[in-house]
Amino acid sequence: MSADNSGGESGMVWKSMIALAGGAAISLSGAGHAATAAPFQIPAVLHADQPGPVLSRHLQGQFAEHLGAGVYDGIWVGPDSAIPNTRGIRNDVAAALKAIKVPVVRWPGGCFADIYHWRDGIGAAAKRPVRKNDWWSGLESNAFGTHEYFDFVEQIGAESYVAINMATSTPSEMREWMDYITSSAKDSIADERRANGRQEPWKLGFVGIGNEAWGCGGAQTPEYFANEYRRFATFMHRNGSTFHMHNDNAALRVASGPNNDDVAWMDTVLKSAAPMMDAISLHYYTVFDGKWENRDKAGATGFPADHWNHILYQASRMDGVLRMHEAVMDRHDPQKRIGLYVDEWGTWYAPEAGTEPGFLRQQNTLRDALVTAMTLNIFHAHADRVKMANIAQAVNVLQAMILTDGAKMARTPTYHVFAMYTPFQDATALPLEVSAPMLKSGANSFPAFSASAARGKDGRVHVAVANADADRGYRLSVKLDGIRAGKVSGQVLTAAQTDAHNVPGAAEQVRPVRFDGAKLVGGALVLDIPEKSVVVVALDQN
């Protein structure tokens, strides 16, 4: 997990599902943000009668790497722990993740995947080898392995996404792991799984073949990776793929895709290996000035006022990066069979003071909540191609959903945004035409707010607005086409301080509350969106 996020002027032209073409630029003012300006009046139109693509639930996926306290102490405490657990998995963390309907969890990495040998993590716990974690520091006990991972995803109701070791392993080791997980036959590997306590095969949803092959996955060239990918994919033995017609493995194949805006990687790999993949990954991290080497130079809390816009501008660049890669994918795959999976994304700051730098533990503030909502809105705008995204990471690492401290736990502002956005899982996108004024970040600019709308599986129309403007609220007057709404309700997430955050064991400083700024006036939905806030409302029809 690494990325070079260098980039310049935004120049974004947003898709109609999120429609955010800009107006005049607005600069961020003083650090205190004490004087709130009067709200701008913004017209908008929601076309409820023009359904678009489905917003895959997998856009709200998670990532759990063997890194710092992400797995150990974060998810796994062991069955003998005084912390309440079920077969070693923390009950509080599992319940919190289940509550936000986590659809899929990518595991065991990340960079760690390419030094992981799956046999280290099966069998009696006392006999599992202890190895150095050469990527992230510390020791790997292998107490959390294949059985524990599948138990975890079953406990939280998620699908599985396994990243195989492509860099320091072989196709044979991969194939045997696939059989261990999925075989229903009376073969020796399946019998070994049964002897280890799992009679029936697990359902394997997705397999990542290669992780950051351009970097920690072997510093490969795209030409070399494409050839290696073809070799590994051949022996994945995916049921129904070419001549593999009688296997139990039905998982989708995910190729290691580009870093940030490296379209040459995307073009070369698709040109060579597109027929043998179901999806290709993309990694994009939000770092302070877009320069990877400066990723740990800015703090997660206590930041100066101008850092607010600088981070949110870098988050907004996700739209342009997606557009670049989609243009390449459309040339090679005009039918859009191959999904684009943004399977690592999120903010990256300096590690929390007093922690091991290699453990990548950072606080998570209101600013991260805005990054989350803006990014989810961008994914919604690209839902015809972007079919999965996995935030980095679920617990205790980078932009985490959850922070733990011994037996104590905190749900972060990012967690709460994911909770607010659950109605968008598998919802049908609806065009929302709206233009936002622009905010300044040095020489760059980005929309002050983003919005998306969809008809949920519950039949209601849901509208989300992420207002990145730390100083000004906006009144959106949304004309409703194709729907007669009789009731509106919703939630808002905001706080007085831009770096407000939640601490394990303490009362929450950032959490959603009832939103009273929505009303129906004639045929319009009027939303009074506060500064630096995330709002999600639901419309019930007459």
Side-chain angles (χ1 to χ4, degrees), residues 301 350-357 361-363:
T301 60
E352 205 169 304
T355 64
E356 161 60 45
R361 184 183 176 100
Q362 62 188 42
Q363 249 301 345

mmCIF file of all heavy atoms in Angstrom, residues 301 350-357 361-363:
data_model
loop_
_atom_site.group_PDB
_atom_site.id
_atom_site.type_symbol
_atom_site.label_atom_id
_atom_site.label_comp_id
_atom_site.label_asym_id
_atom_site.label_seq_id
_atom_site.Cartn_x
_atom_site.Cartn_y
_atom_site.Cartn_z
ATOM 1 N N THR A 301 -4.639 15.974 13.314
ATOM 2 C CA THR A 301 -5.337 16.914 14.186
ATOM 3 C C THR A 301 -4.460 18.144 14.382
ATOM 4 O O THR A 301 -3.268 18.146 14.045
ATOM 5 C CB THR A 301 -5.638 16.282 15.555
ATOM 6 O OG1 THR A 301 -4.406 15.900 16.176
ATOM 7 C CG2 THR A 301 -6.535 15.066 15.426
ATOM 8 N N ALA A 350 0.691 12.034 9.240
ATOM 9 C CA ALA A 350 1.744 11.638 10.176
ATOM 10 C C ALA A 350 1.146 10.703 11.221
ATOM 11 O O ALA A 350 0.007 10.896 11.661
ATOM 12 C CB ALA A 350 2.326 12.876 10.854
ATOM 13 N N PRO A 351 1.889 9.671 11.639
ATOM 14 C CA PRO A 351 1.350 8.763 12.663
ATOM 15 C C PRO A 351 1.144 9.484 13.985
ATOM 16 O O PRO A 351 1.789 10.496 14.280
ATOM 17 C CB PRO A 351 2.419 7.678 12.770
ATOM 18 C CG PRO A 351 3.659 8.293 12.226
ATOM 19 C CD PRO A 351 3.231 9.272 11.188
ATOM 20 N N GLU A 352 0.228 8.956 14.781
ATOM 21 C CA GLU A 352 -0.091 9.533 16.070
ATOM 22 C C GLU A 352 1.157 9.556 16.956
ATOM 23 O O GLU A 352 1.937 8.595 16.982
ATOM 24 C CB GLU A 352 -1.199 8.693 16.733
ATOM 25 C CG GLU A 352 -2.038 9.428 17.732
ATOM 26 C CD GLU A 352 -3.254 8.624 18.149
ATOM 27 O OE1 GLU A 352 -4.039 8.229 17.253
ATOM 28 O OE2 GLU A 352 -3.404 8.382 19.354
ATOM 29 N N ALA A 353 1.355 10.655 17.663
ATOM 30 C CA ALA A 353 2.540 10.806 18.517
ATOM 31 C C ALA A 353 2.619 9.668 19.526
ATOM 32 O O ALA A 353 1.613 9.267 20.124
ATOM 33 C CB ALA A 353 2.491 12.148 19.246
ATOM 34 N N GLY A 354 3.830 9.142 19.704
ATOM 35 C CA GLY A 354 4.042 8.082 20.675
ATOM 36 C C GLY A 354 3.762 6.686 20.174
ATOM 37 O O GLY A 354 3.903 5.723 20.928
ATOM 38 N N THR A 355 3.368 6.551 18.901
ATOM 39 C CA THR A 355 3.100 5.234 18.342
ATOM 40 C C THR A 355 4.231 4.838 17.395
ATOM 41 O O THR A 355 4.974 5.686 16.900
ATOM 42 C CB THR A 355 1.763 5.194 17.585
ATOM 43 O OG1 THR A 355 1.839 6.077 16.442
ATOM 44 C CG2 THR A 355 0.617 5.637 18.478
ATOM 45 N N GLU A 356 4.347 3.542 17.143
ATOM 46 C CA GLU A 356 5.335 3.037 16.204
ATOM 47 C C GLU A 356 4.996 3.572 14.809
ATOM 48 O O GLU A 356 3.891 3.347 14.296
ATOM 49 C CB GLU A 356 5.307 1.505 16.208
ATOM 50 C CG GLU A 356 5.916 0.826 15.004
ATOM 51 C CD GLU A 356 7.378 1.156 14.788
ATOM 52 O OE1 GLU A 356 8.131 1.128 15.787
ATOM 53 O OE2 GLU A 356 7.752 1.448 13.635
ATOM 54 N N PRO A 357 5.893 4.310 14.152
ATOM 55 C CA PRO A 357 5.569 4.893 12.843
ATOM 56 C C PRO A 357 5.091 3.873 11.819
ATOM 57 O O PRO A 357 4.208 4.164 11.006
ATOM 58 C CB PRO A 357 6.889 5.544 12.419
ATOM 59 C CG PRO A 357 7.593 5.845 13.695
ATOM 60 C CD PRO A 357 7.235 4.716 14.621
ATOM 61 N N ARG A 361 -0.911 4.434 12.688
ATOM 62 C CA ARG A 361 -2.102 4.806 13.461
ATOM 63 C C ARG A 361 -2.254 6.324 13.425
ATOM 64 O O ARG A 361 -1.301 7.062 13.720
ATOM 65 C CB ARG A 361 -2.009 4.320 14.905
ATOM 66 C CG ARG A 361 -3.286 4.616 15.726
ATOM 67 C CD ARG A 361 -3.126 4.182 17.168
ATOM 68 N NE ARG A 361 -4.285 4.539 17.975
ATOM 69 C CZ ARG A 361 -5.264 3.709 18.316
ATOM 70 N NH1 ARG A 361 -5.206 2.441 17.918
ATOM 71 N NH2 ARG A 361 -6.283 4.109 19.056
ATOM 72 N N GLN A 362 -3.441 6.797 13.072
ATOM 73 C CA GLN A 362 -3.706 8.229 13.023
ATOM 74 C C GLN A 362 -5.119 8.506 13.514
ATOM 75 O O GLN A 362 -5.994 7.635 13.452
ATOM 76 C CB GLN A 362 -3.527 8.762 11.591
ATOM 77 C CG GLN A 362 -4.481 8.155 10.589
ATOM 78 C CD GLN A 362 -4.171 8.536 9.139
ATOM 79 O OE1 GLN A 362 -3.030 8.568 8.727
ATOM 80 N NE2 GLN A 362 -5.215 8.811 8.364
ATOM 81 N N GLN A 363 -5.320 9.709 14.034
ATOM 82 C CA GLN A 363 -6.673 10.096 14.433
ATOM 83 C C GLN A 363 -7.510 10.355 13.176
ATOM 84 O O GLN A 363 -7.011 10.369 12.047
ATOM 85 C CB GLN A 363 -6.648 11.322 15.335
ATOM 86 C CG GLN A 363 -7.046 11.043 16.776
ATOM 87 C CD GLN A 363 -8.447 10.451 16.945
ATOM 88 O OE1 GLN A 363 -9.292 10.470 16.045
ATOM 89 N NE2 GLN A 363 -8.685 9.903 18.113
#
